[in-house]
Amino acid sequence: MFHVTVYVNSKEEYIGFRTKGHAGYALAGQDIVCAAASVLTINTINAIDAFTNAKAQLEADQEEGYISYLFEGNVPKEANLLLKTMVLGLTQMSHDEDYAQYIDLTFEEV
């Protein structure tokens, strides 16, 4: 299962996320659920890097399906909006009856 934990601060701003695992929908290279979730998360990181001045810590391990992405300091509005967009896509996937059993989305206040 593909697990995503989204970190939220006391102002209800998204301040980062962690992913772990693989969806297990199909064999590696054919898993559309894992591919979709990966595109959402990786594109969000790339977009934040390209279009905002946000600073973040990033750790990743492709084999484990692990990404840890956490903002340092204040979160620019643009970066928060990009994370909200990622969360929207992941939420829709986790509520889809065909894919819900392959993705786990949780929120953690930090």
Side-chain angles (χ1 to χ4, degrees):
M1 179 174 276
F2 188 76
H3 300 276
V4 182
T5 302
V6 178
Y7 301 118
V8 184
N9 67 16
S10 60
K11 299 177 191 175
E12 297 185 9
E13 297 170 320
Y14 297 138
I15 60 168
F17 64 93
R18 180 186 68 231
T19 68
K20 187 166 182 182
H22 296 283
Y25 178 80
L27 296 175
Q30 299 175 1
D31 192 329
I32 61 172
V33 176
C34 204
S38 295
V39 166
L40 283 169
T41 56
I42 293 168
N43 189 65
T44 297
I45 293 169
N46 291 340
I48 290 169
D49 185 49
F51 302 124
T52 77
N53 61 354
K55 301 291 183 221
Q57 295 178 356
L58 173 64
E59 294 178 35
D61 182 333
Q62 185 175 350
E63 284 187 32
E64 296 294 321
Y66 176 80
I67 297 173
S68 175
Y69 187 78
L70 190 61
F71 288 115
E72 298 174 347
N74 293 330
V75 181
K77 289 181 182 180
E78 298 88 354
N80 192 258
L81 178 61
L82 290 166
L83 272 182
K84 285 181 179 181
T85 302
M86 179 194 80
V87 170
L88 174 64
L90 293 170
T91 299
Q92 290 173 335
M93 287 177 64
S94 71
H95 291 152
D96 185 291
E97 65 182 41
D98 294 325
Y99 308 122
Q101 67 190 30
Y102 302 101
I103 185 166
D104 176 47
L105 179 63
T106 59
F107 297 86
E108 183 177 314
E109 188 171 337
V110 292

